[in-house]
Amino acid sequence: MAKEYNNIVVSLVVVVASVAIATLLQLIVGDVPVELFRFPLNVIIAAGWLYMIIELYRARQRNAVARYLLSPVASLLSVSIVVLVCVIMGLQRRPAVMSFPFAVATFFVLTQLAMVVLRGWRNAQGIRWRFIFNHVGLWLVLFAGFWGAPDSDIMRTVVVADYPTDEAFYEDGRKTILGYEMQLNDFRVEYFDKGTPSLYEADVLIGGDKVTLSVNHPYARTWNEDIYLTGYEPHGSSVSCVVQVVRHPWKWPMATGIVMLIVGAVMMFVQGPKRQDI
């Protein structure tokens, strides 16, 4: 009882101190300068962090920090943070990962979850596959989103039929050159009875390839670049389309994590709950 009480006190201290420090940094510095941690610096830091976690786990018998991270109270705090982060991400259009409070919270969850995975990936009966699919899957999604944020780029450009363009703009207004040209060939729109658009799609020439873009159906130009049709603006007999270019080299680790979570959920549904998986 005294041990659990101490863990609760430690959690409260950790939460209050982390929130205070992160909020202070946010007020003084502003958002996290993620552009400073682009590849390869983010990979180097992540590798060093993973090494420290492994060493911390190896010293769990004599290290108070390791014992706390493996405690039920820390796990409850971690789950609470995940739920809160999901709610915040669902309510905000601006990437929350840019803020210090979000970064600190995600870093704690990743560290605590990594420790749990190291402890529980197998037991006396062998490898716990369901545990691995659920926990490692969640860890991969968070890991790719957190450490991959510096390498992600979101840009927008306006595509018209009159002339090609190779320019795009970041959310902060900075201009960049895409490295290929885009030009509108054709545009189609369908309407509901009340006159609001029900479907619109555009035939766009992208780097010499004829591509049809529609809402929620991006074109994968490369393994790490997707192009979305996000809007349009009529101009008499012509139209201009708003196209969003998303470059995310870490999307495949994230996709792997999502697939693992789905497999883990199916395994739990088919096999039913097991005490050791909780």
Side-chain angles (χ1 to χ4, degrees), residues 12-27:
L12 290 175
V13 172
V14 169
V15 170
V16 172
S18 299
V19 170
I21 294 173
T23 302
L24 184 62
L25 286 172
Q26 187 70 26
L27 293 174

Side-chain angles (χ1 to χ4, degrees), residues 23-85:
T23 302
L24 184 62
L25 286 172
Q26 187 70 26
L27 293 174
I28 296 175
V29 181
D31 288 339
V32 179
V34 293
E35 64 278 0
L36 299 179
F37 299 93
R38 295 180 73 94
F39 180 85
L41 184 58
N42 55 347
V43 175
I44 295 173
I45 296 175
W49 165 71
L50 288 173
Y51 175 78
M52 291 178 61
I53 290 177
I54 294 173
E55 291 301 312
L56 186 63
Y57 178 75
R58 288 176 176 173
R60 63 190 181 280
Q61 299 297 335
R62 59 183 184 276
N63 190 291
V65 174
R67 291 196 301 271
Y68 168 72
L69 290 173
L70 291 169
S71 68
V73 174
S75 295
L76 179 61
L77 176 60
S78 183
V79 171
S80 301
I81 291 174
V82 170
V83 173
L84 182 61
V85 165

